[in-house]
Amino acid sequence: MPNFAPVDEQLAYIKKGSAEIIRESELRAKLEKSRTSDKPMRVKLGMDPTAPDLHLGHTVVLRKLKHFQDLGHTVIFLIGDFTGMIGDPTGRSATRPPLTREQIDQNAETYKAQVFKILDPVKTVIDFNSRWFSKFTAEDFIRLTAKYTVSQMLEREDFHKRWHEEKPIAMHELIYPLAQGYDSVALEADVELGGTDQKFNLLVGRELQRAYGQESQIVLTTPILEGLDGVNKMSKSLGNAVGIHEPPLEMYGKIMSISDAMMWRYYELLTDASLADIVKMKQDAVSGAAHPMALKKDLARRIVTDFHSADAGQKAGADWGKQFQKDEVPEEVEAIEVNVAKVRTADASPNSGGGAAQNINSDPSDADRVFLRADKLIREAGLALSTSEAGRKIKEKAVQIEGKVVESLVIVVSARRALTVRVGRRMKKVILT
């Protein structure tokens, strides 16, 4: 008796949160063959270790890999330690400088630890594409490049645009899609996953497998997740990301900040809730059977639980309630040290940039009282990306320090006390050093 679920049931689970499947009829045939033979499909996801930390946007495709794992298929998380040194040109308007081997190795180690927050470490195959590319000779690369034409490569949108704008396209960038495609040949992949921005590279894999006499892999793409602003792609550089290593309360609070409309997209792409369950929740929200706030709390709890623990998810919810619904300081709040020299200002004169100083928690006789730039303090605490953004938050009355709304760029505090700093829905305890 086959160990796999019925094909229609598997397809429904696989299609949840998928953007495109090329081709669904071929995937159905592979699933039927797998179920008949009781042999799992080989499902591949490759990531270049180009940055040390992953955020929730990266986990959309990782979760889809987990879905194949849940269905009993063999999942391969491929770390592109070779392709990472080339640099993926996807979406680039200029040539990306290659990373060093040292950077790649360091990032690869952190990737292995992070992906197991979603994938089962016992059932996951971890591989590196340097395993085969380190053995490639010059002749092997010439034979690989002979499988694809320049005109085919220029069909790629970013290459096509740069070509017409007469911007440089380095030769190593043309090799990247071929190298990623060859990974599927080396692994004999049945399915390859990637974001919608990876579609060209994934299709190259299909072409190369045919060229090497293999059956073409199925290409499954997942959507690009919008960040907390609900508009732009989730990105740390845009300040709209949720890192998977962030403390539970920080993670919970960020999820609670998204719009009600965006909540459903996060449910679909960042949880294992079924489409039927999500539809039911939407109906309950519309009918009034469930309050959107309660549903969003459940979303935040689920996500914190996935990356920390069930206890952490419950605790973060309780602490968030104290912080924003009861206006209390939670028992556990992230503490961060800030060097006072980086945020100190000479005095409270107008020349210091803030006019009269606002007294936060100091006594006039306190020998350790110091004048600080509130905007710099917020930036150094990681509650704003820049001093100018912090300044805007202060003007919007969105900053509280020790429970007081900050109204001046210059504040006076006691350097001996920790400061509870709140910007919008985010809070940290700042220890001056």
Side-chain angles (χ1 to χ4, degrees):
M1 191 70 181
N3 294 320
F4 297 103
V7 170
D8 285 340
E9 185 179 320
Q10 292 191 62
L11 269 176
Y13 195 38
I14 290 167
K15 288 169 70 175
K16 171 186 175 281
S18 299
E20 187 177 10
I21 297 174
I22 306 172
R23 298 184 170 88
E24 187 176 328
S25 59
E26 294 177 16
L27 175 57
R28 176 179 286 277
K30 282 180 179 283
L31 287 170
E32 288 172 347
K33 180 180 178 182
S34 170
R35 192 165 189 266
T36 301
S37 64
D38 204 20
K39 181 180 178 182
M41 296 189 303
R42 292 173 61 80
V43 185
K44 162 205 169 191
L45 168 64
M47 281 190 179
D48 290 347
T50 52
D53 296 316
L54 301 178
H55 56 62
L56 291 185
H58 297 118
T59 69
V60 173
V61 69
L62 274 169
R63 186 169 295 279
K64 183 51 59 185
L65 190 65
K66 174 185 179 294
H67 292 169
F68 279 96
Q69 190 171 70
D70 291 343
L71 293 169
H73 299 289
T74 300
V75 302
I76 305 166
F77 182 74
L78 179 67
I79 297 176
D81 58 334
F82 179 85
T83 44
M85 289 190 295
I86 300 175
D88 185 1
T90 298
R92 304 283 295 187
S93 59
T95 298
R96 181 198 299 271
L99 296 179
T100 65
R101 164 53 65 180
E102 290 73 21
Q103 289 172 308
I104 291 291
D105 289 345
Q106 289 173 4
N107 294 345
E109 286 303 310
T110 64
Y111 270 30
K112 284 195 289 185
Q114 292 175 81
V115 298
F116 290 144
K117 287 182 175 290
I118 292 179
L119 301 174
D120 184 332
V122 176
K123 298 178 181 178
T124 304
V125 177
I126 297 285
D127 213 336
F128 297 81
N129 60 10
S130 62
R131 183 167 67 85
W132 44 89
F133 281 123
S134 62
K135 300 172 185 175
F136 253 47
T137 64
E139 179 181 346
D140 291 327
F141 271 111
I142 290 170
R143 292 188 183 280
L144 175 59
T145 56
K147 306 290 186 185
Y148 227 71
T149 67
V150 173
S151 61
Q152 283 177 297
M153 204 61 78
L154 289 177
E155 290 174 6
R156 181 180 176 135
E157 185 178 350
D158 37 19
F159 287 160
H160 184 77
K161 185 177 179 182
R162 281 157 67 181
W163 175 264
H164 281 282
E165 292 176 353
E166 297 185 357
K167 291 182 178 179
I169 303 172
M171 290 299 296
H172 75 282
E173 293 182 279
L174 300 177
I175 292 175
Y176 185 93
L178 296 177
Q180 180 175 329
Y182 186 81
D183 290 341
S184 295
V185 176
L187 292 170
E188 298 184 359
D190 292 305
V191 181
E192 183 173 14
L193 310 182
T196 52
D197 58 347
Q198 289 291 313
K199 182 176 177 179
F200 181 91
N201 292 344
L202 306 182
L203 291 175
V204 172
R206 276 176 66 89
E207 294 271 347
L208 289 182
Q209 282 182 308
R210 282 196 291 268
Y212 281 90
Q214 295 181 12
E215 185 178 289
S216 291
Q217 66 185 11
I218 306 303
V219 166
L220 187 152
T221 61
T222 55
I224 303 299
L225 182 70
E226 296 84 358
L228 300 174
D229 55 10
V231 178
N232 298 299
K233 172 183 175 180
M234 184 172 282
S235 166
K236 289 189 176 181
S237 63
L238 294 176
N240 66 356
V242 183
I244 68 174
H245 274 326
E246 290 188 14
L249 181 57
E250 185 89 355
M251 182 179 285
Y252 190 100
K254 285 186 175 182
I255 298 301
M256 291 301 298
S257 74
I258 65 174
S259 69
D260 289 352
M262 186 56 58
M263 168 172 64
W264 306 118
R265 187 158 172 83
Y266 275 43
Y267 257 115
E268 182 178 359
L269 299 181
L270 297 176
T271 77
D272 291 332
S274 69
L275 283 175
D277 287 343
I278 296 171
V279 168
K280 177 67 165 55
M281 285 188 279
K282 283 184 180 181
Q283 292 171 343
D284 288 346
V286 171
S287 68
H291 196 286
M293 174 71 80
L295 294 169
K296 197 181 296 183
K297 285 180 179 179
D298 180 61
L299 170 66
R301 180 192 56 76
R302 287 175 186 242
I303 291 175
V304 173
T305 297
D306 280 347
F307 295 101
H308 292 282
S309 68
D311 288 344
Q314 295 289 350
K315 182 72 166 54
D319 282 347
W320 186 89
K322 288 181 180 180
Q323 183 172 333
F324 295 107
Q325 294 179 304
K326 300 179 182 178
D327 202 28
E328 299 175 8
V329 177
E331 295 175 18
E332 294 182 14
V333 63
E334 182 185 3
I336 186 167
E337 293 186 352
V338 172
N339 188 329
V340 72
K342 292 183 177 180
V343 298
R344 191 170 191 164
T345 186
D347 54 32
S349 69
N351 291 333
S352 66
Q358 179 181 357
N359 192 353
I360 297 297
N361 67 355
S362 72
D363 186 286
S365 62
D366 188 352
D368 289 321
R369 67 200 296 261
V370 290
F371 292 97
L372 306 180
R373 282 289 297 250
D375 50 355
K376 292 182 179 179
L377 178 69
I378 294 164
R379 181 199 65 201
E380 292 296 321
L383 292 169
L385 288 177
S386 65
T387 304
S388 59
E389 181 191 348
R392 287 195 300 273
K393 295 292 185 183
I394 291 171
K395 288 181 180 178
E396 294 167 2
K397 309 292 186 186
V399 177
Q400 292 183 32
I401 298 180
E402 292 295 278
K404 294 183 179 180
V405 175
V406 177
E407 298 177 340
S408 172
L409 286 180
V410 180
I411 59 174
V412 57
V413 303
S414 172
R416 291 179 299 177
R417 305 183 199 172
L419 302 172
T420 301
V421 182
R422 179 185 291 178
V423 179
R425 292 180 178 271
R426 302 176 63 195
M427 177 185 287
K428 289 188 181 182
K429 182 176 288 186
V430 175
I431 301 166
L432 298 173
T433 60

